[in-house]
Structures are given as C-alpha cells and as structure tokens.
Amino acid sequence: IKLMKRVVAHVIVILPFEEALYTQAEVPCTFVGHPLLDSMKPLPPTEQLKEALGVTPKRPILGLLPGSREAEVRSLLPVMLETAEELRAQYPDIQCLIAQAPSISQGLLQEVIGRFSIPVTILPDSPNEVIRVSDVLLVASGTATLQAALVGTPMVIIYRASRLTYAFTRLVIKVPFIGLVNLIAGKKVVTELYQDEVVASRLKEEVLRIFHDKDFVREMTASFQYIRGLLGGPGASERAARIVLEECKE
C-alpha cells in the first residue's frame, strides 16, 4: 500500500472492507459497490426454474460449485461427490447438480464423475440457476460464495491448496476468514472448511446441519440480507467509470 500511495491516483474497490484499509493508509479510495449486483440476471420462480431444468421439485437438491480452475475441480469435486454418496444413506432421493464453469471442460467433469455411482446433472454456465434451485450448496471459496449469498441459498464453503501454497497464504495474508461472505460480514456467517477439514464426513455433517437446524439456516439467510445491503446498489461499473473520467480530466 505504501508503494501504491506514491504511484496510484485513486483506487476503486468493489468490497466494502477494502475502502477502510486504503483510507487508513491515506490512499484515495472509493467503494463503488459490487458488479455482481448488475450481472446476476433475474430468474423465474424457483418451482418454474426446477421444471425448466428437469429437476424433481419435492426431492432434496445438493448443488456443487467446484470452482473455475482445473486444479480446484480435481481437488474439490471428488470430495463433494463422496459427500453426496454418503448423504444418499439418509436421503436416497437426493439430487445432485454441478455448476460447470465456462473454463472447465465437460471431459474433466465426466472423468471425475465416472469414479462415483451417484447420478449427477451437469449444468453448463448456469451457476445462478444451480444456486437458486438447490436446498444446500457445497461451494469452492471464491466469487460463487457471494453469488450464493445474494440468491440466499445456505452453503458450506470449502478450500484446499497445496500445503506450501496454503502455508504461504496464511503467513502473508492476515485475515480471520477465507470466504468472501464471512469477510464482508466481518463474522462467521457460513462454515468454512479447508485443507485437512475437507473430508466427506465433515461436509456431510455440515450439510445435515443445514437440513435439520432451522434456526441456524434462518440466522445464515438473515446475514445474507445484511451482506447484500453492504454491497451498495446496482451501477458499480458506471460509478467506477465516472471516477476514472474525473481522474483523467485532472
């Protein structure tokens, strides 16, 4: 930040907690809101959307968002599917949906899915649709967690990297949480599991908690509304453009 103070005229940020950091360091900064509020298209009512996606309305739905990078998918999707298989013991009719990111090939997903017996539906480039129709989500840490919060679907955040990468990240970045949802709220709203905690037994435990603990879910979704309020209103890109134009004039 000290270097930025010397070379940057104005910082534009899209997360509310970032503004205070730059302001404290005396770097001109403006929080413009989050562009997700503009990019998330309106969806039809949930039951209508389930019908359009071929999902059976009265059966429980587990949504899987394993990330947009190949390494993430290879690391996280197997444990997500193992969790889904374990959940079938208590929920034999559970439905499993995977949100396929544009950067992830169908071949990679099929390669991983082929190791498991649970039926899975892959929905390409449809994260918001998967989020909307699911009863609970297993989500790789990233922007998708914020999408889920904006839609209002209960979730468990998971993250796993190489031990060296994780150790370096925790050494350099001093934050209490990894998930954007918790970082923005400034408290633990959603359970985060990382590294050795990312095992099917723990994921299953958290999913069952969401299925069974109504107070826990109510508190989580209420926090999602609070987070949405912190993100500002639509029009983040336009506000950012105005700031850039003003700086250019000066």
Side-chain angles (χ1 to χ4, degrees), residues 60-80:
I61 301 171
L62 176 66
L64 308 180
L65 289 90
S68 58
R69 296 189 293 272
E70 182 176 335
E72 283 181 322
V73 173
R74 289 192 181 279
S75 175
L76 299 178
L77 184 56
V79 73
M80 289 179 170

Side-chain angles (χ1 to χ4, degrees), residues 28-234:
C29 179
T30 303
F31 166 62
V32 295
H34 203 287
L36 266 182
L37 295 171
D38 295 308
S39 63
M40 290 180 67
K41 61 186 179 183
L43 294 172
T46 303
E47 296 309 309
Q48 184 180 331
L49 185 57
K50 286 181 179 180
E51 184 178 348
L53 296 175
V55 176
T56 306
K58 294 185 179 181
R59 289 168 54 192
I61 301 171
L62 176 66
L64 308 180
L65 289 90
S68 58
R69 296 189 293 272
E70 182 176 335
E72 283 181 322
V73 173
R74 289 192 181 279
S75 175
L76 299 178
L77 184 56
V79 73
M80 289 179 170
L81 292 169
E82 185 181 349
T83 303
E85 288 198 332
E86 290 194 9
L87 284 165
R88 289 177 81 188
Q90 289 164 271
Y91 295 90
D93 60 345
I94 195 167
Q95 300 171 94
C96 192
L97 306 180
I98 295 179
Q100 179 187 355
S103 54
I104 299 300
S105 71
Q106 186 93 187
L108 171 57
L109 296 181
Q110 294 291 0
E111 175 191 330
V112 178
I113 291 168
R115 304 176 207 159
F116 299 87
S117 60
I118 186 167
V120 176
T121 299
I122 299 173
L123 295 174
D125 200 20
S126 304
N128 292 334
E129 287 81 353
V130 171
I131 290 168
R132 171 62 65 85
V133 301
S134 296
D135 297 301
V136 60
L137 302 165
L138 298 177
V139 190
S141 181
T143 305
T145 65
L146 196 51
Q147 289 176 273
L150 292 174
V151 174
T153 305
M155 73 183 109
V156 182
I157 297 172
I158 65 176
Y159 173 83
R160 188 158 60 187
S162 71
R163 292 189 181 276
L164 182 61
T165 299
Y166 182 75
F168 178 76
T169 301
R170 298 305 281 175
L171 183 67
V172 174
I173 304 175
K174 302 294 185 181
V175 291
F177 308 109
I178 290 178
L180 275 176
V181 173
N182 293 333
L183 284 169
I184 293 171
K187 62 178 182 178
K188 184 180 177 181
V189 170
V190 175
T191 299
E192 297 181 356
L193 300 175
Y194 25 84
Q195 298 305 96
D196 294 341
E197 295 178 306
V198 183
V199 293
S201 58
R202 281 291 286 117
L203 270 64
K204 177 186 173 184
E205 179 184 324
E206 293 300 328
V207 170
L208 291 176
R209 183 183 182 192
I210 290 172
F211 277 147
H212 297 150
D213 191 338
K214 302 303 181 186
D215 290 336
F216 175 62
V217 172
R218 195 176 300 113
E219 185 177 343
M220 187 189 301
T221 52
S223 295
F224 290 165
Q225 290 297 317
Y226 169 69
I227 290 166
R228 187 183 186 98
L230 293 177
L231 292 178

